[in-house]
Amino acid sequence: MRLETERLILRPFEDRDRAPYAAFVADPEVRRFYPDTLDADAANRMIDGWQVKLERNGFHYLAMERKADGVLVGDVGLARMDYEIPGRPEVEMGWLVGRPYWGNGYAPEGARACLDHAWQVLGLNEVVAFTYRGNHPSRRVMEKIGMTRDPDGDFDHPLVPRGHRLRPHVLYRIANPLK
């Protein structure tokens, strides 16, 4: 799977992406809305798992590469839900941008390309996104790409420990406009 936007190439992760991506997920500021940072081994396991899911499902998280210079700026993609949350959505969207690349609009640009793929190629009925309720940067991206908050869908994330400040999550939805 490979998608292109005006400024980005969205593609499967390659070995050259491992070190810069590991630096992104080791950054406490980038991971401030996750329960913890990741070391290089954990980042590599995550990328390896994503590659397996991409092969199996035909879509998953992709490397977000800047066309101008080939630099990895983060990840973006669609993923089948592999754990249950209220309402049982089938496909979620997510992104992560490395701190040096914040504020350039890469997350909404990549996310819009993924939504176009979801509607035009995959024929999905709906995509959801969710985040810790205090993650206002991601919530702004969700709103910029046309997602709407579903307060009835808000939930405590099952993979975040009980009592952890990051457990309360908000849910955003967007329906396929072609259907």
Side-chain angles (χ1 to χ4, degrees):
M1 179 176 165
R2 179 184 167 101
L3 306 173
E4 290 194 29
T5 70
E6 181 181 332
R7 301 179 300 160
L8 301 170
I9 296 170
L10 312 180
R11 55 163 176 77
F13 275 82
E14 299 171 359
D15 284 342
R16 66 186 168 111
D17 302 318
R18 290 179 183 273
Y21 195 76
F24 297 161
V25 297
D27 182 336
E29 186 64 17
V30 170
R31 295 280 295 184
R32 70 192 182 282
F33 300 119
Y34 293 84
D36 51 22
T37 58
L38 300 178
D39 64 19
D41 288 339
N44 283 327
R45 284 192 305 276
M46 186 166 62
I47 289 170
D48 292 342
W50 289 354
Q51 290 171 325
V52 168
K53 291 176 180 179
L54 179 60
E55 284 290 319
R56 182 176 62 223
N57 298 323
F59 61 91
H60 205 73
Y61 292 108
L62 301 168
M64 205 170 8
E65 175 185 310
R66 192 166 52 196
K67 279 184 179 178
D69 56 10
V71 168
L72 181 75
V73 300
D75 74 66
V76 65
L78 303 163
R80 290 217 179 273
M81 295 290 302
D82 55 5
Y83 53 89
E84 193 173 313
I85 64 172
R88 304 182 85 171
E90 291 182 34
V91 177
E92 67 156 318
M93 169 182 279
W95 49 82
L96 180 139
V97 176
R99 190 175 356 174
Y101 310 106
W102 288 357
N104 291 293
Y106 295 134
E109 185 174 332
R112 283 186 195 102
C114 290
L115 285 177
D116 288 345
H117 185 77
W119 309 148
Q120 296 171 14
V121 177
L122 302 174
L124 299 176
N125 292 320
E126 175 187 64
V127 172
V128 301
F130 47 85
T131 190
Y132 163 64
R133 68 178 172 205
N135 184 348
H136 298 291
S138 277
R139 292 177 70 171
R140 271 195 310 278
V141 171
M142 293 171 197
E143 291 164 4
K144 282 181 184 180
I145 64 173
M147 298 185 107
T148 304
R149 179 159 174 225
D150 176 4
D152 292 334
D154 292 354
F155 64 100
D156 286 340
H157 200 297
L159 302 181
V160 177
R162 289 187 190 280
H164 196 288
R165 72 174 183 84
L166 298 176
R167 194 155 197 235
H169 273 56
V170 292
L171 181 80
Y172 283 70
R173 298 179 180 279
I174 189 167
N176 185 336
L178 306 176
K179 291 192 172 193

